[in-house]
């Protein structure tokens, strides 16, 4: 990795990666909250759940969208409010949103790394493996027990959470049916995921999956998201429906809010 690109990575990580930064405060919507003791991450986690307006007055089952960075002081309110707006305008079907509040973000959202310098900013413990197991083997069971859920499930995240989304998509694609990644930190571990994407895609399941991802104008992000888009173009299967949004005019700090409605509308559409 070039030094200039690496230092940009460090700056982005310090600002938007392993630490939780101050965010624009949205109106907190009505929602449920509960805690779950996880054996995989060995701690109690706070879970926030937004239900679509017609949930209580129907017997329908609903798809579920999971999100890391899902605390009340994180991204949960503005994504819940965005979904509510899109559901009300009938741009997307009703969906349940499940937000997972962070404790140690850098630990949970990053896979292994052989780059020693990465250890200065996030643990090199492959915490993503345990966090993914927590979601798929513990949290999903709780959500399916507590709420009327359909078989369809997706995940959305930005920055390190976007990295987690992309890693899950490549290494455990059957975990979800649809994936949204905003400005994923693909530079992690010397852009290992991007470099090995073609290998992962060769083992991709013959089952319909959907992926929407976007890259901002940040050099150390866009170089890898653009390369991944090229790899997908050459190696994706007919079962994979995907879209890449190259957004050079957006910053790392603006792309989520700028593109979230576009991403949600595309990913939830039955026409692509």
């Amino acid at each position: 990795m070039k030094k200039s690109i690496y230092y940009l990575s460090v700056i982005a990580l310090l600002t938007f990666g392993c630490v939780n930064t101050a965010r624009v405060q949205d109106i907190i919507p009505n929602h449920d909250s509960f805690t779950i003791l996880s054996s995989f991450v060995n701690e109690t986690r706070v879970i926030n759940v937004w239900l679509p307006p017609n949930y209580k007055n129907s017997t329908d089952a609903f798809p579920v969208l999971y999100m890391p960075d899902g605390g009340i002081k994180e991204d949960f309110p503005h994504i819940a409010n965005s979904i509510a707006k899109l559901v009300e305008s009938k741009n997307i079907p009703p969906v349940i949103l499940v937000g997972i509040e962070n404790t140690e973000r850098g630990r949970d959202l990053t896979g292994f790394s052989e780059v020693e310098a990465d250890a200065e900013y996030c643990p090199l413990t492959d915490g993503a493996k345990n966090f993914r197991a927590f979601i798929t083997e513990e949290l999903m069971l709780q959500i399916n027990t507590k709420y009327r859920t359909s078989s369809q499930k997706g995940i959305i995240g930005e920055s390190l959470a976007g990295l987690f989304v992309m890693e899950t998509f490549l290494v455990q694609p059957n975990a979800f049916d649809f994936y949204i990644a905003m400005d994923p930190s693909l530079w992690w571990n010397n852009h290992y995921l991007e470099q090995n994407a073609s290998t992962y895609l060769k083992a991709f399941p013959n089952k319909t999956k959907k992926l929407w991802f976007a890259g901002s104008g940040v050099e150390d992000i866009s170089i890898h998201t653009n390369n991944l888009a090229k790899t997908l173009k050459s190696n994706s299967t007919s079962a994979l429906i995907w879209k890449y949004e190259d957004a050079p005019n957006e910053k790392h700090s603006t792309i989520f809010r700028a593109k979230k409605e576009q991403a949600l509308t595309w990913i939830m559409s039955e026409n692509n």
Side-chain angles (χ1 to χ4, degrees), residues 213-262:
F213 68 112
S216 71
V218 178
E219 183 182 1
D220 63 322
I221 297 288
S222 63
I223 189 173
H224 302 307
T225 54
N226 278 296
N227 284 341
L228 180 58
K230 293 176 184 177
T231 299
L232 284 165
K233 189 173 183 179
S234 301
N235 296 274
S236 64
T237 68
S238 58
L240 174 60
I241 303 169
W242 66 279
K243 182 177 178 61
Y244 172 56
E245 180 72 16
D246 186 18
N249 294 326
E250 295 298 336
K251 300 177 181 178
H252 192 68
S253 59
T254 64
I255 192 167
F256 203 7
R257 288 178 177 271
K259 298 297 180 179
K260 63 183 184 297
E261 292 186 7
Q262 178 183 341

Side-chain angles (χ1 to χ4, degrees), residues 163-174:
L163 172 69
F164 178 79
V165 170
M166 295 305 301
E167 180 181 278
T168 303
F169 167 75
L170 290 169
V171 306
Q172 195 175 330
N174 281 325

Side-chain angles (χ1 to χ4, degrees), residues 254-272:
T254 64
I255 192 167
F256 203 7
R257 288 178 177 271
K259 298 297 180 179
K260 63 183 184 297
E261 292 186 7
Q262 178 183 341
L264 289 163
T265 300
W266 185 88
I267 208 79
M268 300 294 290
S269 172
E270 297 179 355
N271 299 321
N272 51 40

Side-chain angles (χ1 to χ4, degrees), residues 3-265:
K3 287 186 177 180
S4 60
I5 294 178
Y6 177 76
Y7 290 133
L8 282 171
S9 300
V10 170
I11 292 170
L13 183 56
L14 287 174
T15 307
F16 303 106
C18 291
V19 297
N20 289 319
T21 58
R23 300 180 184 271
V24 176
Q25 290 301 301
D26 295 81
I27 295 173
I28 299 174
N30 291 331
H31 65 283
D32 298 342
S33 289
F34 65 90
T35 59
I36 176 172
L37 177 61
S38 170
S39 61
F40 287 101
V41 295
N42 195 31
E43 62 186 8
T44 299
R45 303 303 294 261
V46 174
I47 308 300
N48 300 302
V49 180
W50 178 86
L51 299 172
N54 61 330
Y55 183 88
K56 292 182 179 180
N57 297 323
S58 77
T59 57
D60 295 341
F62 299 89
V64 183
L65 179 62
Y66 291 84
M67 60 175 304
D69 296 338
I72 293 302
K73 294 183 179 180
E74 298 173 306
D75 289 326
F76 181 81
H78 92 256
I79 294 299
N81 291 332
S82 296
I83 290 175
K85 176 183 174 182
L86 291 170
V87 169
E88 182 180 10
S89 62
K90 301 187 185 304
N91 285 314
I92 66 171
V95 59
I96 296 171
L97 178 68
V98 176
I100 308 164
E101 188 169 307
N102 280 312
T103 55
E104 294 184 41
R105 187 172 189 265
R107 175 202 65 193
D108 289 342
L109 300 179
T110 55
F112 76 92
S113 177
E114 297 176 340
V115 179
E116 292 183 7
D118 286 352
E120 297 181 35
Y121 310 103
C122 289
L124 307 184
T125 56
D126 196 8
K129 180 179 179 180
N130 292 331
F131 187 60
R132 187 159 37 249
F134 158 61
I135 296 173
T136 59
E137 298 186 36
E138 295 176 325
L139 179 57
M140 285 182 180
L141 178 62
Q142 286 272 6
I143 294 299
N144 292 338
T145 300
K146 289 176 177 288
Y147 302 98
R148 297 191 310 274
T149 63
S150 71
S151 61
Q152 292 292 301
K153 52 192 178 298
I155 186 169
I156 184 172
E158 65 167 327
S159 193
L160 281 186
L163 172 69
F164 178 79
V165 170
M166 295 305 301
E167 180 181 278
T168 303
F169 167 75
L170 290 169
V171 306
Q172 195 175 330
N174 281 325
F176 298 93
D177 301 291
F178 52 95
Y179 296 79
I180 298 175
M182 301 279 190
D183 239 19
S185 301
L186 292 173
W187 52 264
W188 177 258
N189 190 27
N190 196 23
H191 57 105
Y192 177 89
L193 285 177
E194 177 236 304
Q195 290 190 91
N196 292 276
S198 60
T199 300
Y200 286 118
L201 289 168
K202 289 177 182 177
F204 209 76
N206 187 27
K207 182 181 179 182
T208 301
K209 302 291 177 182
K210 296 180 74 173
L211 167 69
W212 190 102
F213 68 112
S216 71
V218 178
E219 183 182 1
D220 63 322
I221 297 288
S222 63
I223 189 173
H224 302 307
T225 54
N226 278 296
N227 284 341
L228 180 58
K230 293 176 184 177
T231 299
L232 284 165
K233 189 173 183 179
S234 301
N235 296 274
S236 64
T237 68
S238 58
L240 174 60
I241 303 169
W242 66 279
K243 182 177 178 61
Y244 172 56
E245 180 72 16
D246 186 18
N249 294 326
E250 295 298 336
K251 300 177 181 178
H252 192 68
S253 59
T254 64
I255 192 167
F256 203 7
R257 288 178 177 271
K259 298 297 180 179
K260 63 183 184 297
E261 292 186 7
Q262 178 183 341
L264 289 163
T265 300

